[in-house]
Amino acid sequence: MNPFQKNESKETLFSPVSIEDVPPRPPSPPKKPSPKICGSNYPLSIAFIVVNEFCERFSYYGMKAVLILYFLYFLHWNEDTSTSIYHAFSSLCYFTPILGAAIADSWLGKFKTIIYLSLVYVLGHVIKSLGALPILGGQVVHTVLSLVGLSLIALGTGGIKPCVAAFGGDQFEEKHAEERTRYFSVFYLSINAGSLISTFITPMLRGDVQCFGEDCYALAFGVPGLLMVIALAVFAMGSKIYNKPPPEGNIVAQVFRCIWFAISNRFKNRSGDIPKRQHWLDWAAEKYPKQLIMDVKALTRVLFLYIPLPMFWALLDQQGSRWTLQAIRMNGNLGFFVLQPDQMQVLNPLLVLIFIPLFDFVIYRLVSKCGINFSSLRKMAVGMILACLAFAVAAAVEIKINEMTPAQPGPQEVFLQVLNLADDDVKVTVVGNENNSLLIESIKSFQKTPQYSKLHLKTKSQNFHFHLKYHNLSLYTEHSVQEKNWYSLVIREDGNSISSMMVKDTESKTINGMTTVRFVNTLHKDVNISLSKDTSLNVGEDYGVSAYRTVQRGEYPAVHCRTEDKNFSLNLGLLDFGAAYLFVITNNTNEGLQAWKTEDIPANKMSIAWQLPQYALVTAGEVMFSVTGLEFSYSQAPSSMKSVLQAAWLLTIAVGNIIVLVVAQFSGLVQWAEFILFSCLLLVICLIFSIMGYYYVPVKTEDMQGPGDKQIPHIQGNMINLETKKTKL
């Protein structure tokens, strides 16, 4: 029995009552009109909502812009783990809107949901910023605080995502539909403005400001957190003038219940004696109204087309992870401006603002004039192809970067360079059958071998014997090395003779793309070197060797140094992206104290501008896929199913991030091969989607109207048709 129809026949249309039986009701006060902006039809309350959205998006995208580098450099995770956690966080941000919508529609209403979950959001930012303070605990504490903070941020940003835009629409009266449409344009403009500004500013806060001698991640997370506090405060300020509709029930849950009842009812009635029904959803007719079932049928037709969509998001969302990791191994010096690797993400919102009007007013119109039927599904397919091309370009860039990067030592291999700090030529020979042909050229004073030489080991660790020839002296020395490492054999004066020491070089200098420096002190006194306001290091006397220190790329014309009895400055020159420098502090009788500079690893040579084509292609694909996809979905589903479609659309983004997580964690591919894999997968998915779209029959708007929505024509002169008003779900 249909519970929505059980009292229909017993409805009392007219009921005589006595006037004396009804107590007089006080007149209801007239509804106070909400204040408007400058005498227009725009409610003043939307100003608070738009400012809130701008600050919230600044907060979210600003924090996310530096997140992958925080994982890599601060928490010291490898690239695959950093990518996996980054996309796990992104996926959670798109799963939680379902929870936020359920809370708002079924329990608290939109206003209270935004307030409460914004408090959770702010708390997440506070915990995340505390986790970025080097003085607060160790690695485990930082990791725990970061993961807890990110979980709360995901709950906050995802929970309020479906509420804020809809709450702004609730502020308009039905007669002001045109103003409401313009409001949504301004609302989405504020989203892009917040994203654009934050992805440009927060990498500067990270890289250009030093905290505790390192990149200032605490500030880069703290400023977005402050913006979220402002967003919450601004939104709360408008509390008294908001129109706050009460919760009206969750249509998403109702759709799920309808589908579940249809499936379970069908399995209960599997007997061949029971007549079949035209559609599997018709098995829900015993419990749910016909109009809801018709709407769910239309919805499932669109959701079927959603099945291939996650693969597109898997590619698009790698701009903040894999593409940023690619950028750190490129040179950000553009001549007129120096870009941080995580600032390249600013291209996406910038190009979106350029491409949307370009495609709408130029490209689509030109295609239409050529007589080509460029349907919505075709636009989405072309968007997928553009994303495929973007990742093919990214793979080509990655291959070129690898060609310019020194090779890494493999199993039972080490890379060795010789650095001669003696006052005359030294000839070095490796004693042994397999490596005796290496290092046979003499090395001049204060010179090093042109490049690292590869030495082969018989075991994982091995002692090497070296023959040193200096003047008329012939010396033998022995040093131990371990596989897969870089070493420098430093030859120095030792009275009238020479001696040598083996120094292990940094292991990750060619991977993380940072600028690193180290010093050798030939003086007879310890030297303290101040690389920046918060970064200093001590180098021991008599050929003491410092550890590598990470510094910002830039000119260092006068680095302050001091010994126990003297202050002096060293000119280090330009320290460029990705290079590893060695400075030898010497006392030249003619020129005084100075630093002899040499490169252990050369700077990144490939310009970061080579990433522009892949960003342009993927953003063009996003405009054709995302904007068109939402527009098509909304045109193909009944108005009652819009919120369900929005939830399903966000879920496809969440699933796309899970795909990246799985591939990054388990594929084991080199980076360029992984880019090719994603490009090929999306190409296959695009082919499947095109076949699905070919057989899809678009639904016209009038076909989705229920019987109660259609006008019944007049059949006689002055007679008026009476329609029974039915409850609509």
Side-chain angles (χ1 to χ4, degrees), residues 585-640:
I585 303 173
T586 61
N587 188 1
N588 189 311
T589 54
N590 296 326
E591 301 178 8
L593 294 171
Q594 58 181 195
W596 176 61
K597 178 181 180 181
T598 180
E599 285 186 353
D600 286 348
I601 293 295
N604 299 338
K605 293 183 173 60
M606 193 164 188
S607 173
I608 203 170
W610 284 102
Q611 279 197 323
L612 181 59
Q614 65 199 57
Y615 271 96
L617 284 169
V618 83
T619 306
E622 179 186 3
V623 170
M624 298 190 71
F625 181 90
S626 181
V627 178
T628 308
L630 274 176
E631 175 191 346
F632 170 78
S633 303
Y634 275 42
S635 69
Q636 295 298 294
S639 58
S640 62

Side-chain angles (χ1 to χ4, degrees), residues 46-115:
I46 66 169
F48 297 97
I49 296 173
V50 169
V51 173
N52 164 270
E53 184 65 12
F54 170 82
C55 294
E56 189 275 328
R57 290 290 88 185
F58 186 109
S59 169
Y60 175 73
Y61 284 109
M63 177 276 303
K64 198 176 178 184
V66 300
L67 192 58
I68 192 74
L69 297 188
Y70 170 77
F71 292 155
L72 191 67
Y73 296 144
F74 191 87
L75 296 182
H76 303 294
W77 294 345
N78 61 40
E79 292 189 2
D80 289 338
T81 302
S82 301
T83 301
S84 298
I85 300 300
Y86 177 92
H87 286 282
F89 167 71
S90 298
S91 179
L92 189 59
C93 289
Y94 287 101
F95 273 121
T96 49
I98 308 298
L99 177 62
I103 294 173
D105 291 342
S106 304
W107 182 24
L108 295 177
K110 298 184 185 73
F111 175 76
K112 289 184 178 179
T113 301
I114 295 171
I115 290 290

Side-chain angles (χ1 to χ4, degrees), residues 414-419 428 430 439 452 455 462-466 468 477-482 485-492 499-505 518 543 545:
V414 295
F415 284 173
L416 176 71
Q417 68 172 354
V418 179
L419 185 64
V428 181
V430 181
L439 311 175
Y452 280 89
L455 299 182
Q462 182 177 329
N463 291 336
F464 275 102
H465 298 271
F466 298 91
L468 310 180
T477 182
E478 180 181 356
H479 296 287
S480 177
V481 296
Q482 291 184 337
N485 285 311
W486 305 65
Y487 291 94
S488 292
L489 180 66
V490 180
I491 301 171
R492 58 176 186 161
S499 62
S500 65
M501 58 183 181
M502 186 71 77
V503 179
K504 186 178 180 180
D505 295 348
R518 65 173 175 172
Y543 295 92
V545 181

Side-chain angles (χ1 to χ4, degrees), residues 530-556:
S530 299
L531 293 170
S532 66
K533 183 178 179 181
D534 300 317
T535 306
S536 63
L537 63 134
N538 288 305
V539 191
E541 62 184 7
D542 294 327
Y543 295 92
V545 181
S546 73
Y548 276 97
R549 279 298 180 94
T550 300
V551 296
Q552 293 297 315
R553 183 264 182 200
E555 293 279 353
Y556 290 78

Side-chain angles (χ1 to χ4, degrees), residues 310-372:
M311 185 52 68
F312 176 85
W313 301 114
L315 275 69
L316 183 70
D317 282 359
Q318 290 188 56
Q319 296 173 74
S321 58
R322 290 303 200 192
W323 285 13
T324 300
L325 294 176
Q326 183 185 72
I328 66 177
R329 296 188 292 121
M330 305 177 76
N331 196 316
N333 185 14
L334 301 178
F336 58 91
F337 188 78
V338 178
L339 270 178
Q340 298 290 341
D342 37 357
Q343 278 182 314
M344 280 300 289
Q345 299 172 65
V346 78
L347 284 175
N348 180 254
L350 179 63
L351 291 174
V352 164
L353 295 176
I354 296 173
F355 283 170
I356 286 179
L358 176 66
F359 276 76
D360 283 343
F361 298 115
V362 180
I363 296 178
Y364 290 157
R365 293 188 179 184
L366 287 176
V367 171
S368 178
K369 286 185 177 180
C370 293
I372 300 174

